[in-house]
Amino acid sequence: QDQLVESGGGLVQPGGSLRLSCAASRSVFSIYDMGWYRQAPGKQRELVARITRRGNTNYADSVKGRFTISRDNAKNTVYLQMNSLKSEDTAVYYCWSSTTGGDNWGQGTQVTVSS
């Protein structure tokens, strides 16, 4: 399995911004889609945003207009710019990739939105 390394989580006040990054290790497998999921305490893991290799994106309704996903194919890296953060965005955020060798998950990074 490929390794996904996330960074950029932390504590932010409501209305603030954070940028998450996720880098995939070099691999013999080709990466198709990449994305971000999140899991809040007591809730199921849910899709936040995903992006194809060509740059097509889709977002959860709850983050549309506030979050932006992007990727750098040369670096096998995906980003999530999160603006206008709300308390309900508090969760562990997981990076995900779909490759010719199967799906991979990061270890998760905590995002806490609180005053």
Side-chain angles (χ1 to χ4, degrees):
Q1 259 188 335
D2 295 343
Q3 184 178 16
L4 299 176
V5 180
E6 300 135 334
S7 60
L11 173 65
V12 64
Q13 292 186 342
S17 298
L18 281 176
R19 187 188 193 219
L20 305 182
S21 300
C22 171
S25 58
R26 293 179 62 87
S27 172
V28 298
F29 301 115
S30 297
I31 299 176
Y32 295 135
D33 296 358
M34 300 186 77
W36 294 91
Y37 286 71
R38 67 186 181 187
Q39 188 167 17
K43 295 187 177 181
Q44 290 188 333
R45 190 174 297 188
E46 62 176 2
L47 171 70
V48 177
R50 53 194 287 172
I51 183 169
T52 69
R53 188 168 182 84
R54 292 187 176 183
N56 296 317
T57 60
N58 66 288
Y59 296 90
D61 287 344
S62 59
V63 306
K64 284 181 180 177
R66 300 188 298 120
F67 291 10
T68 302
I69 189 170
S70 60
R71 68 188 281 177
D72 184 333
N73 290 332
K75 296 180 179 180
N76 286 339
T77 300
V78 63
Y79 307 95
L80 185 68
Q81 178 65 44
M82 303 184 293
N83 298 328
S84 302
L85 282 160
K86 305 175 182 180
S87 58
E88 50 263 44
D89 295 317
T90 295
V92 177
Y93 285 68
Y94 296 91
C95 180
W96 164 85
S97 71
S98 173
T99 78
T100 53
D103 287 5
N104 298 295
W105 291 91
Q107 80 285 356
T109 185
Q110 177 69 45
V111 171
T112 302
V113 184
S114 175
S115 55

